[in-house]
Amino acid sequence: DLTGDWSSDVCSSDLSEKEIITLGIKNKRDDIIKLLGNRSIELSKSDFEILRVNKEMKLFRIGDILNTQRGNRLISSHRIKGKIPFVTAGENNRGISSYIDKCNKVVWSHSPSISVDMFGHAFVHEYMYGYDDHVVEVYKEGLTINQLQYLATAIQKELLLSGKYSWNLMVTKSKLDEEFISLPTNSQDSKEPDWDYMERYIEIMIKKAVLKYENDIEVHEKQREIHKENIRSEERRVGK
């Protein structure tokens, strides 16, 4: 999300639209650099090397490499409102349907973790949340947000995009444990995926997304200037 407050030190009324957009990109860029551990947002030589590598992949059984836990039923009328996210089945708002109090008797998540609903929607959550019986939590101690994001993408690809699950055949904890997902590995004999590669790959994807956003803004601004110049040229022609 590249929207939000850009600067509390500058009065936006003193800036042009282009300057405001540029300021927003710069500040958000700095924020993302901090999230990346103060590493540069530019793609490095080692980043390009990772992208060029034809990484070996292996099918891993989810139950062999990750922990899973099913939630429990908490109907809307019994939910005590609060500030903690409550995740149910659905693709909107990362599955968060309401906010509840800690006194509700539900299964509470590990943090961070992935929620997988009965259709296969998979979302990463960096915070504690409760979840109902149509959701299975996927977690493993020590995994980073980037590693979880890679896993969530692989899980959703296998469960949701394949179309194998629906109202007639829902994702459950036991079914999820038996699913296989394709993950990078250092060898076919390895019992664990290449977690380091997954971390770096998602980091590179974040960099590429930010750079693309910046490029799109630059292209948009050039197109606006061309359009304005065309209008000015037409006005001068008509004025003659």
Side-chain angles (χ1 to χ4, degrees):
D1 181 8
L2 295 175
T3 61
D5 293 334
W6 291 337
S7 175
S8 58
D9 301 324
V10 180
C11 178
S12 61
S13 62
D14 296 333
L15 301 172
S16 68
E17 180 183 359
K18 184 175 181 179
E19 288 172 328
I20 291 174
I21 292 173
T22 302
L23 178 62
I25 293 173
K26 180 181 183 300
N27 286 355
K28 285 303 177 186
R29 191 182 224 262
D30 292 343
D31 290 341
I32 292 170
I33 288 174
K34 290 178 182 178
L35 289 174
L36 292 174
N38 291 320
R39 292 189 291 274
S40 172
I41 205 71
E42 304 296 336
L43 291 174
S44 65
K45 182 179 179 181
S46 62
D47 290 337
F48 282 110
E49 289 173 354
I50 287 176
L51 293 175
R52 281 195 296 266
V53 169
N54 186 18
K55 185 64 177 176
E56 185 176 0
M57 305 294 286
K58 176 183 176 181
L59 290 174
F60 288 90
R61 177 179 172 273
I62 290 179
D64 290 339
I65 61 171
L66 299 166
N67 302 307
T68 60
Q69 182 171 256
R70 182 190 178 192
N72 61 278
R73 182 68 58 88
L74 182 64
I75 61 176
S76 299
S77 58
H78 292 174
R79 296 174 193 170
I80 301 172
K81 294 183 179 180
K83 298 182 178 180
I84 305 174
F86 186 63
V87 177
T88 56
E91 60 182 315
N92 295 327
N93 199 29
R94 308 184 73 79
I96 299 171
S97 60
S98 60
Y99 291 84
I100 61 175
D101 190 84
K102 191 68 164 60
C103 64
N104 286 275
K105 294 182 179 180
V106 297
V107 177
W108 299 105
S109 71
H110 301 74
S111 180
S113 68
I114 301 168
S115 66
V116 180
D117 74 6
M118 59 187 184
F119 304 115
H121 297 108
F123 299 110
V124 177
H125 305 271
E126 303 178 48
Y127 40 80
M128 185 184 77
Y129 59 96
Y131 52 102
D132 72 2
D133 56 336
H134 287 149
V135 173
V136 178
E137 181 190 11
V138 179
Y139 63 97
K140 183 182 179 70
E141 185 176 355
L143 291 187
T144 67
I145 296 299
N146 285 351
Q147 291 162 343
L148 288 171
Q149 188 59 62
Y150 194 110
L151 287 168
T153 302
I155 291 171
Q156 183 159 291
K157 179 180 179 181
E158 180 61 33
L159 274 58
L160 179 68
L161 301 183
S162 66
K164 66 171 67 175
Y165 290 102
S166 64
W167 282 104
N168 296 323
L169 181 63
M170 302 178 187
V171 177
T172 62
K173 180 187 184 310
S174 58
K175 288 187 176 70
L176 186 59
D177 283 339
E178 295 301 323
E179 286 285 352
F180 284 79
I181 53 176
S182 180
L183 297 173
T185 184
N186 288 318
S187 77
Q188 292 300 312
D189 295 329
S190 177
K191 294 183 178 180
E192 292 279 336
D194 188 344
W195 299 112
D196 291 338
Y197 177 87
M198 292 161 66
E199 172 72 22
R200 287 293 308 280
Y201 184 84
I202 293 299
E203 179 183 308
I204 293 169
M205 291 302 103
I206 293 173
K207 289 182 179 181
K208 289 183 68 176
V210 174
L211 292 171
K212 182 181 184 302
Y213 177 80
E214 291 182 327
N215 181 69
D216 288 347
I217 291 294
E218 184 178 350
V219 170
H220 173 71
E221 285 303 314
K222 288 180 180 179
Q223 291 173 342
R224 278 165 53 91
E225 290 303 318
I226 293 173
H227 180 64
K228 288 179 180 179
E229 181 56 36
N230 289 338
I231 292 176
R232 287 192 291 267
S233 297
E234 181 64 17
E235 288 174 344
R236 287 193 296 268
R237 186 187 68 79
V238 173
K240 291 180 180 179

